[in-house]
Amino acid sequence: MRTMTGQPAAAGSEDQRGAPRAGATPGRPLLPGQPGRPDVFTFGETMVALRGSGPLKLGGTMNVSIAGAESNVAIGLARLGHDVRWAGAVGEDEAGQLVLRTLRAEGVGVSGASTDPGAPTGLLLFEPRLPEVTRVHYYRAGSAGSRIGADVIQRAFSAAPPRVLHLTGITPSLSPTARAAAGLVLQLSRESGSLVCLDVNFRARLWTAEAAAEVLREWIPFVDVLIASDDELPLCLPGGGDGGGEGSPGGGEGVKGTTGVNGDLGAEGADGGLARWASEPEEATAAGGAGACGDAVPLPPQEVAGDPAATVAAQARLLLDHGVAEVVVKLGAEGATAFTHGGSLHQPAKPVRAVDAVGAGDAFVAGYLSALLDGEGPAGRLERAVTTGAFAVASPGDWEGAPTRAELGMLGAPPGTVVR
């Protein structure tokens, strides 16, 4: 059951960002589609992914694919019929060619991508260790994707400013240059009128909670749609840390407390909650993302003792008060809740048989943005998001199970249905 709380916003209400359009997120208006202007632009590191059949030390066979949070979202959106551009850097190697070839084959524009002759394409290994536990190993230190420069992203973005800019909290954790590139594109989005969607996607193996909070709090004044798990919200709340202000999001050369990119990030939990997904399959029936905070993050004063739901609502309201137009909270097996100035709306998860929870959060984001671009309200956005998240959970791979628009209704089919 979906419930709506709060009072509806007054008709015609607006803030300093402009009047909302029908179907758009209140706040900065969603620009209309026009030839040559993509629906979504995103950038980040995409790696070659090897999926083993068992413990790596025993050898065996491996399946070869690609993986990256931003490119997962891009593929999900492209399958739903949207014009999506991805930018990033790959090595001048066969692995890099696989990344670009796969994205092109999935209908994602890669004209803004670059090759780095001085660095390899990153590598990601998946190791099924127990029936419901997978370990993830990254080899991305000094990779081409981590060395992406602001000049490359500026050219790619400016060539065709999008309706929506999608960022994740992974990219700024990779290197000072990647953080600077993200900061620059946030400035460009404000100048071009692009909506900004931020998926927090905290990775405790890439940087500390303190370092992440310092950057994310700088970004919040630029964000229109914030997507996070309930335990990631504190990283975005104003106060605590000296990195606030709207003037320059992440433009500095260093990230305080950043651990940088590790060669082998090894053990369970390395992919922001992957082990939790894999070891607790009941959560894999959820909206597309379990909690991702590996570090303990003290809750701010908005915590409501003994009432997690009230705590999340209070934190969401604080973010709304600081300029975010919509806060979408992924709640694992409980589904997801969207908070706007008009109230809150909860959508239960879609029950599915869990096969592989990797990429479910990215699929959730793709569904949400797809419905936003289609002019759907919060109910329609959440419905599509939990649907695409469920497709990901029910399919192996990071992005391989992402549905097309024609397939969205398949989850409602009774067991044993054969589509002829």
Side-chain angles (χ1 to χ4, degrees):
M1 176 183 294
R2 291 194 293 259
T3 57
M4 189 72 180
T5 62
Q7 297 299 316
S13 63
E14 59 181 271
D15 62 16
Q16 68 272 20
R17 293 179 177 178
R21 298 192 311 108
T25 298
R28 183 157 37 182
L30 176 64
L31 296 171
Q34 53 185 272
R37 183 160 194 160
D39 292 324
V40 178
F41 174 87
T42 188
F43 80 96
E45 181 174 27
T46 298
M47 299 163 284
V48 167
L50 302 181
R51 295 176 179 275
S53 57
L56 289 175
K57 64 184 178 184
L58 300 182
T61 60
M62 304 195 84
N63 292 324
V64 184
S65 185
I66 69 169
E70 297 84 5
S71 56
N72 291 346
V73 172
I75 290 173
L77 282 163
R79 287 194 178 180
L80 292 170
H82 300 284
D83 183 358
V84 191
R85 312 287 171 87
W86 174 88
V90 296
E92 204 170 75
D93 48 32
E94 293 300 299
Q97 289 302 306
L98 174 63
V99 169
L100 298 180
R101 183 178 183 274
T102 302
L103 292 175
R104 289 193 194 100
E106 288 295 329
V108 177
V110 294
S111 60
S114 64
T115 57
D116 184 341
T121 302
L123 176 64
L124 174 64
L125 302 180
F126 292 95
E127 177 189 18
R129 191 60 188 88
L130 293 170
E132 294 178 348
V133 176
T134 298
R135 293 195 293 201
V136 181
H137 308 271
Y138 290 102
Y139 297 87
R140 67 201 307 180
S143 67
S146 69
R147 296 178 6 155
I148 190 69
D151 56 338
V152 172
I153 300 305
Q154 180 177 20
R155 286 196 299 271
F157 183 95
S158 300
R163 300 172 70 194
V164 176
L165 165 68
H166 173 62
L167 294 177
T168 77
I170 297 173
T171 299
S173 72
L174 299 178
S175 68
T177 57
R179 175 186 171 182
L184 175 60
V185 82
L186 282 172
Q187 294 278 14
L188 295 174
S189 70
R190 172 162 291 181
E191 296 167 5
S192 67
S194 303
L195 251 66
V196 175
C197 172
L198 171 62
D199 183 5
V200 173
N201 245 332
F202 176 67
R203 297 291 187 262
R205 295 298 183 98
L206 294 180
W207 56 351
T208 66
E210 292 75 18
E214 183 177 351
V215 173
L216 295 173
R217 287 164 182 164
E218 290 178 355
W219 287 12
I220 286 301
F222 295 81
V223 173
D224 297 285
V225 179
L226 178 68
I227 301 178
S229 58
D230 52 351
D231 54 357
E232 288 174 333
L233 281 182
L235 297 174
C236 305
L237 295 176
D242 42 20
E246 300 187 21
S248 178
E253 285 301 310
V255 181
K256 180 180 179 182
T258 300
T259 57
V261 214
N262 297 321
D264 179 2
L265 295 182
E268 55 275 2
D271 196 28
L274 173 60
R276 176 179 164 190
W277 270 110
S279 62
E280 297 179 352
E282 68 277 7
E283 292 198 7
T285 65
C293 278
D295 292 359
V297 182
L299 287 176
Q302 291 73 33
E303 179 179 7
V304 179
D307 192 342
T311 295
V312 168
Q315 293 169 348
R317 284 195 297 271
L318 183 61
L319 289 163
L320 294 172
D321 290 342
H322 280 77
V324 179
E326 189 158 353
V327 178
V328 184
V329 183
K330 295 177 288 184
L331 299 169
E334 300 303 316
T337 302
F339 297 87
T340 71
H341 291 287
S344 64
L345 181 67
H346 180 73
Q347 172 67 52
K350 299 282 185 178
V352 294
R353 183 172 65 87
V355 173
D356 184 354
V358 177
D362 302 327
F364 177 95
V365 173
Y368 199 88
L369 290 180
S370 171
L372 171 65
L373 289 162
D374 286 352
E376 297 282 351
R381 299 172 201 170
L382 285 173
E383 170 67 24
R384 191 173 301 177
V386 298
T387 298
T388 51
F391 266 93
V393 167
S395 309
D398 275 57
W399 51 268
E400 286 84 348
T404 63
R405 191 172 289 260
E407 293 172 330
L408 287 173
M410 291 180 65
L411 283 183
T417 297
V418 178
V419 179
R420 300 184 186 276

